[in-house]
Amino acid sequence: MYSLPAAYSALLTELAKINSRGAGFRALTVSLASGEDSLSWLCAQPYRPQLWWQHRNGHEQVALCGAIRCYQTLYQAEQACRALPGNWRIWGSNRFAATDSFFFLPRLMWQQDSRGERLTLFVQSDHNLQEDAQVAVRFLHGLRVPQPLPLIRGQLQQSQCEPEQAEWSQRVNSALATIAAGELEKVVLARTMDLLWDRPLPPEALLAASRRANPHCYQFMLRFADDSALVCASPERLWLRQQNTLLTEALAGTVARDIDPILALQQAQWLLQDAKNQHENALVMEDICSRLQEIVSELEVMPVELVRLRNLQHLRRRIHGKLRSRSDARILQRLQPTAAVAGLPRTAAYAFLQRHEALNRDWYAGSTGFISRQKSEFCVTLRCALVQGPRVRLYGGAGIVAGSDAQQEWQETENKMAALAALLPTRAAPLQPRLTGKPPVAHSA
């Protein structure tokens, strides 16, 4: 096992051996014994894009630095994967609409899992592999030593909601009227909170705080070429594909989780027994199964279970199936957006959002993860923040069904945004999670 400087030297030695002037690919891997935090290492590097990702089970961390090639859609990334080794991964995010995405084949990957820590340098060219090896040499020479993660400091200068609470109530009432007319069963409304500080906020510091505070979530920071960064702590898997086996889930039905364990248990029992939330989860599950019918066989739905997070609790049903053919782009088209983030029926709910929401969801309620020929995995981009210098945009959504209350749904979005907002240095009072012994009605991710 190598220290970081020794690992760089070993990779440079291997690069010097590449003399092919034709198309090709290489993955050069060295084991690490650095004792460093991969997030601290990643954030010291000058290259973009960057992605730090941790599985919600905590068994894998990945830090990606730099790109050999970028792709604008998952379909493009999938086509590129077909010419790569089966275990090479292309990483990135889909926006809510899934028509505009950001994916990249990384140059350098720091991976930590049950096999230990290792650094892998990727070299790939459609024309001249030796030329790309020379590019990789210059890349390695530009790497920097890890630095301590910065602290989250600053004073809040301004906060602004979109929509404000009065407008939110009007949108909820419009949704309820549409549901009463029989045009919708459910629609998920979203809102944002823009927070402006007196100085830039380091996204890596927010992620570091989140990975301590929000266990059992997919944790990631995707830093784009323009230095804006998406930070996320999502509890929800969109799908996992292993060869032709597909796993997805219906995560819908929500209640607060009080800091008092007795009250939290009471809230959990209420959620498990509440007919309205059970119905909500069943709607999402049935919609997912219906969408998958044409591309999978042997669908199996597991019993409902409880997912406990730091300040929220959810109902979840896991769904298993066998794919008739492997296509991650086709899975994305079938699953995103799910009923848990858009509504039912899908087309009518999406049309309602275009008419009434007046909000650019951007990356919120999209999906983030990786694809390869052997395996793919994506989480739903929930509990997220878009960090752009001193500006942080938080997102929250609430599912509106017959009987929903605008005030309760507003508070539900507050509690969801608090997953990251509670980690910021000075925040607007409405973002404090209001957790009480009385279970609130809540219906979405």
Side-chain angles (χ1 to χ4, degrees):
M1 291 191 287
Y2 294 86
S3 66
L4 271 174
Y8 298 158
S9 295
L11 290 173
L12 287 168
T13 298
E14 292 302 311
L15 283 172
K17 299 176 183 178
I18 297 177
N19 55 17
S20 170
R21 296 183 181 274
F25 42 76
R26 299 283 192 280
L28 311 176
T29 300
V30 294
S31 297
L32 285 176
S34 67
E36 300 283 354
D37 178 7
S38 61
L39 180 59
S40 299
W41 167 82
L42 180 66
C43 296
Q45 306 313 321
Y47 301 112
R48 304 290 185 267
Q50 297 178 350
L51 175 64
W52 193 94
W53 181 89
Q54 179 176 280
H55 196 278
R56 66 180 178 184
N57 294 333
H59 60 64
E60 184 180 19
Q61 290 181 6
V62 172
L64 308 172
C65 183
I68 296 175
R69 191 165 287 114
C70 296
Y71 311 93
Q72 293 183 330
T73 66
L74 182 61
Y75 176 78
Q76 291 178 359
E78 183 175 70
Q79 297 304 303
C81 264
R82 294 178 178 177
L84 296 174
N87 63 342
W88 280 35
R89 297 176 178 181
I90 294 177
W91 296 76
S93 281
N94 301 293
R95 285 183 167 89
F96 173 68
T99 55
D100 185 13
S101 306
F102 179 84
F103 284 89
F104 67 104
L105 177 63
R107 172 64 74 186
L108 188 61
M109 175 177 70
W110 181 325
Q111 188 172 19
Q112 180 178 351
D113 55 25
S114 60
R115 295 183 292 164
E117 295 183 67
R118 55 199 177 277
L119 206 61
T120 300
L121 182 74
F122 297 96
V123 185
Q124 189 271 335
S125 176
D126 296 333
H127 308 289
N128 189 321
L129 191 64
Q130 187 179 49
E131 284 186 0
D132 194 57
Q134 293 168 353
V135 173
V137 167
R138 294 191 292 272
F139 176 93
L140 286 174
H141 283 304
L143 292 174
R144 298 172 182 170
V145 297
Q147 298 293 329
L149 287 171
L151 300 176
I152 305 179
R153 292 175 175 167
Q155 293 295 319
L156 185 63
Q157 303 294 300
Q158 182 181 351
S159 65
Q160 182 176 1
C161 293
E162 171 53 43
E164 298 288 350
Q165 192 164 3
E167 175 62 25
W168 169 265
S169 296
Q170 292 178 14
R171 293 182 188 179
V172 171
N173 290 335
S174 295
L176 290 172
T178 307
I179 291 168
E183 299 175 27
L184 292 172
E185 291 182 76
K186 168 189 174 180
V187 66
V188 182
L189 295 176
R191 52 178 287 249
T192 63
M193 170 73 81
D194 280 346
L195 305 175
L196 185 66
W197 269 265
D198 62 346
R199 67 194 73 184
L201 261 70
E204 58 269 27
L206 179 57
L207 176 64
S210 176
R211 64 182 181 177
R212 293 190 298 268
N214 296 307
H216 313 302
C217 288
Y218 292 95
Q219 304 277 353
F220 71 82
M221 177 194 71
L222 176 57
R223 196 193 302 259
F224 304 97
D226 60 2
D227 258 358
S228 64
L230 183 65
V231 178
C232 183
S234 175
E236 183 174 358
R237 170 186 283 159
L238 186 58
W239 84 81
L240 166 65
R241 177 186 61 78
Q242 295 176 293
Q243 303 291 2
N244 281 66
T245 300
L246 180 69
L247 287 79
T248 183
E249 61 193 37
L251 190 79
T254 306
V255 72
R257 185 181 183 185
D258 203 281
I259 57 174
D260 183 323
I262 295 176
L263 290 178
L265 181 59
Q266 292 174 352
Q267 292 165 329
Q269 292 303 316
W270 174 88
L271 181 61
L272 286 167
Q273 297 169 12
D274 181 65
K276 198 171 188 180
N277 277 284
Q278 289 282 354
H279 177 63
E280 169 74 9
N281 189 275
L283 283 176
V284 175
M285 178 271 293
E286 291 165 2
D287 180 61
I288 291 173
C289 291
S290 174
R291 293 190 199 182
L292 292 176
Q293 284 294 335
E294 293 184 8
I295 66 171
V296 304
S297 60
E298 304 175 25
L299 267 178
E300 181 182 7
V301 180
M302 307 304 290
V304 70
E305 60 186 349
L306 195 66
V307 176
R308 293 180 174 92
L309 304 175
R310 177 170 56 88
N311 66 331
L312 293 170
Q313 303 176 82
H314 300 288
L315 296 178
R316 177 173 67 192
R317 281 185 174 92
R318 301 175 191 260
I319 302 167
H320 300 202
K322 288 289 185 181
L323 289 164
R324 293 189 172 95
S325 62
R326 296 180 210 172
S327 172
D328 291 303
R330 196 174 183 190
I331 298 171
L332 177 71
Q333 187 273 330
R334 293 284 173 168
L335 290 181
Q336 184 178 314
T338 68
V341 298
L344 288 169
R346 182 182 189 181
T347 301
Y350 197 79
F352 180 91
L353 293 176
Q354 289 182 313
R355 291 195 307 270
H356 295 279
E357 191 169 71
L359 180 72
N360 178 15
R361 292 195 179 190
D362 203 14
W363 303 103
Y364 169 71
S367 51
T368 300
F370 67 87
I371 65 169
S372 70
R373 283 166 42 207
Q374 294 178 350
K375 178 180 178 180
S376 63
E377 184 162 12
F378 284 81
C379 67
V380 184
T381 309
L382 303 171
R383 317 296 192 268
C384 61
L386 185 63
V387 182
Q388 296 174 304
R391 175 178 170 270
V392 177
R393 170 166 285 189
L394 301 164
Y395 300 83
I400 311 304
V401 297
S404 289
D405 176 79
Q407 174 58 41
Q408 288 180 337
E409 303 297 353
W410 175 271
Q411 185 57 45
E412 181 66 21
T413 63
E414 294 283 293
N415 290 345
K416 288 170 178 175
M417 287 192 286
L420 293 181
L423 308 176
L424 296 170
T426 306
R427 54 197 181 274
L431 286 171
Q432 295 280 1
R434 187 160 64 227
L435 307 181
T436 67
K438 181 180 178 182
V441 178
H443 307 280
S444 77

